[in-house]
Structure formats: structure tokens, C-alpha cells
Amino acid sequence: MLYPLTFHPIHVARIWGGGHIAPPKDGIPVGESWLVSPLAGCESVVANGRLKGQTLGQVCNEYPKELFGQLWRKEACSQIFPLLIKLIDTAQPLSVQVHPDDRYARQHGEPNGKSEAWYILATQPGSTVLLGLREAVDDEEIREAVRSGTLPRLLRELPAIPGECYHVPAGEMHSVGSGIQLIEVQQPSDRTFRLYDWGRTDAEGHPRELHLQQGLEAVSSSPYPLDSSASVVQERKNTTQLVADPHFTISILQLSPRAELSTDGVPVVAIPLCQARITTQSGDSLALAPLQAALIPASVGGVYLEAMSGGRVLVATPARQELRGNTL
């Protein structure tokens, strides 16, 4: 029987990275820590228990029914975990970028697109994010804004406030500003089309590559309505659901100081925002550091999460149709 799995974080150097995650790598600041990743080349490795040292992919393939539960399909001969979860830390703004949706990605030989959501952890005063167009534009207006360096003016600028969550569907132009730490929950893809990069250059002094044509093909040209505060999708007992994307949901579980979390037949990722302890119904116990992700397989059924002085846990759950893999 499977048990709650933790993983070794994967630190990724980014030109815009801050200094809160880890020391620089080869002189480049670390901007991301991949907490749960199924992507080849950056795949999570189990850090606890009898499966320690196995990759997430190995666990998926060896225990598909136990891990995926109602997501498991008998005809699938290999399974890919359907979420990629990152911790992001910015000292500079990210590029203005866009991600492809599922249809565009599959037309270009990739298994899925990249919808995502950001849960804001901490910010510096005045930090903002850019998300979606202020008003409808056409391709030529975007091209001209790229040429003139005014593309950010087309986007909606929102204050980055700790505790708020922003939904970023595939196709929406966006950028995370400087001085922000956040958790990003997304589909398992690292495909990004960069449209504007604030005049930045790489270590050799060359401008970073832009992907204007691909970006124009993938971008939504309609305004994206979003209030400056996160919308609460649903509230019940000690759980507040913040995002209901077609591919995943994000909720906040309040510990006071203990709460039960049910898998409800699908795998769940729990990320405590404080030091916490997770205990299974069979009595197995595991200490979790703040922002340490635990993947709870569907077969576990349910767990108890506890923090001595209370606290919150971010809970990410894949949608029930989101099993990705090869069929027999």
C-alpha cells in the first residue's frame, strides 16, 4: 500500500530569480523550486519511506491504480502525474509571456497545454502582477506594442497580495512582477512563449529569444475579466476553494489545530504554509516543513494534518479527467 510521498526539491536557476530559495547556481540566481514534477529531465525523486530514491514516474508506473484511484484507466499502459507544482521567487519581473492551450499543444506534438494558478505567499511593498488584456486587441496591435516596448501597457496590472490566488488559463498573457514569492500549480508543461522581456540580456549581452509568432498563435485576444481580489469558488467547513480550473482545483485548508483531508478517490498534493504533521488513518506519521509538498495517493483514503498553533495548507487536486499517458 502506498503512503504520503515527499520529494527532493529541484532548484532551477532563472535570470530573474530572488535569493530566498537557495544560493545561486553558476552565478545565476535560483528562481524556482520544483516541488512536484513529472517532467523528464526535471522529475521529482521520492525522499521518504520504502520508495525513497524512485522517481515520480516509476511510482506512477508501478502503482498506477493505487496512486491515481478514479483517474486510473485500465487501458493505459503508462501514466503521467497531471500536475507540476513550483515555488517561485522573483527579484526581477518575469517576461510577458503566454502558454498554449491543450488544442494548440497537441497540434504541435505535445501532450497538453499549460494552464496555471498563483497563490501569493509574500511580496515587497508595491509588487504587482500582469494578467490578461485590458481590452480586446488584434495581432498587429500586439506586434506594434512589442516593437515599441509598450506591450505591458496592454495588460491588466493587479496588486500582488499575500493570501490571494490568481487563475491564469492558457492563452492569457501574463507576468509576475519583482519581489514576489508564490506557489504555482499548473498542468505538466514547461512550454512558454516569450513576447516581451523588458530589454534584458543574457550573460553574453544578447537579448533573450522571443517567440512572437508562436505567441500570437496561442494568445487570447479578448480581455480577461478579473477583480483585484481572489474569487472564492466554494466554502465548506474549514476548506475554501480558490480556483476551479478544468484541469485542477486549489483550496486552502485551515488547521485549528487539526483537520482531516480526504483524497475522495483521487491523488492530492498538500503543501503546508507552516510546520505541520501528516498522519494517515493507519497511524503512520510524517513531519512536514513549511512549503514541503506531500503527495497523498488516492488509495490512502484520507489523512489528518496538524499544526501546534494552527495554520493553513494549500491543497491541489487534479481534475478527474486529467490522467495523461499512452494507451495499449
Side-chain angles (χ1 to χ4, degrees):
M1 188 149 181
L2 289 182
Y3 56 92
L5 304 171
T6 62
F7 303 97
H8 297 288
I10 302 167
H11 295 156
V12 181
R14 300 295 191 194
I15 193 172
W16 41 258
H20 299 91
I21 293 176
K25 298 176 69 173
D26 299 323
I28 302 175
V30 170
E32 299 180 353
S33 179
W34 292 23
L35 305 180
V36 179
S37 170
L39 297 189
C42 286
E43 192 171 9
S44 291
V45 175
V46 178
N48 69 310
R50 63 183 179 83
L51 299 179
K52 183 177 180 179
Q54 291 198 24
T55 66
L56 177 55
Q58 289 173 320
V59 177
C60 291
N61 289 326
E62 291 179 25
Y63 305 95
K65 191 172 183 179
E66 294 88 343
L67 178 63
F68 289 108
Q70 294 179 18
L71 295 184
W72 179 71
R73 290 200 301 267
K74 186 176 181 180
E75 70 273 14
C77 62
S78 68
Q79 291 76 35
I80 299 172
F81 191 71
L83 294 179
L84 172 59
I85 302 179
K86 304 175 182 177
L87 174 63
I88 293 180
D89 173 30
T90 70
Q92 300 178 29
L94 276 65
S95 62
V96 177
Q97 57 192 240
V98 66
H99 306 305
D101 62 14
D102 289 342
R103 180 179 179 182
Y104 183 96
R106 290 166 188 162
Q107 287 174 343
H108 292 80
E110 299 187 14
N112 55 261
K114 183 180 174 182
S115 286
E116 63 190 36
W118 310 324
Y119 181 82
I120 307 296
L121 295 169
T123 67
Q124 294 177 355
S127 294
T128 62
V129 298
L130 300 178
L131 179 52
L133 291 165
R134 294 175 180 269
E135 55 187 33
V137 297
D138 58 29
D139 286 1
E140 187 50 42
E141 288 176 282
I142 296 176
R143 288 181 187 275
E144 177 55 34
V146 170
R147 284 193 292 264
S148 64
T150 60
L151 185 63
R153 298 179 190 173
L154 299 182
L155 276 67
R156 187 192 301 266
E157 185 173 20
L158 303 169
I161 301 174
E164 293 199 356
C165 195
Y166 295 97
H167 184 202
V168 190
E172 298 294 339
M173 277 195 284
H174 61 273
S175 173
V176 177
S178 60
I180 298 174
Q181 297 171 56
L182 60 84
I183 296 172
E184 181 175 276
V185 177
Q186 58 164 93
Q187 292 179 266
S189 168
D190 203 34
R191 177 64 64 200
T192 295
F193 299 139
R194 191 182 299 131
L195 298 172
Y196 177 77
D197 199 36
W198 312 99
R200 268 192 296 241
T201 58
D202 59 22
E204 286 76 40
H206 304 300
R208 294 206 298 167
E209 181 183 6
L210 299 181
H211 315 97
L212 182 56
Q213 187 55 45
Q214 299 101 312
L216 288 172
E217 292 170 358
V219 74
S220 169
S221 58
S222 302
Y224 180 53
L226 179 71
D227 293 333
S228 60
S229 59
S231 58
V232 174
V233 178
Q234 185 181 48
E235 286 190 278
R236 62 183 187 189
K237 293 184 180 179
N238 52 359
T239 302
T240 301
Q241 187 179 101
L242 298 179
V243 171
D245 183 269
H247 307 285
F248 56 81
T249 62
I250 299 175
S251 300
I252 291 294
L253 176 68
Q254 185 69 47
L255 307 182
S256 56
R258 193 171 192 244
E260 184 175 5
L261 175 62
S262 173
T263 63
D264 196 25
V266 297
V268 172
V269 177
I271 307 172
L273 308 184
C274 58
Q275 189 165 348
R277 180 167 292 276
I278 186 170
T279 305
T280 66
Q281 295 175 346
S282 61
D284 295 328
S285 184
L286 175 67
L288 295 174
L291 305 180
Q292 182 180 17
L295 169 55
I296 305 167
S299 63
V300 171
V303 298
Y304 297 99
L305 285 150
E306 184 175 13
M308 291 301 294
S309 57
R312 292 171 296 160
V313 179
L314 185 143
V315 178
T317 306
R320 294 180 183 272
Q321 73 272 21
E322 275 305 290
L323 179 60
R324 290 282 179 263
N326 301 318
T327 55
L328 294 169

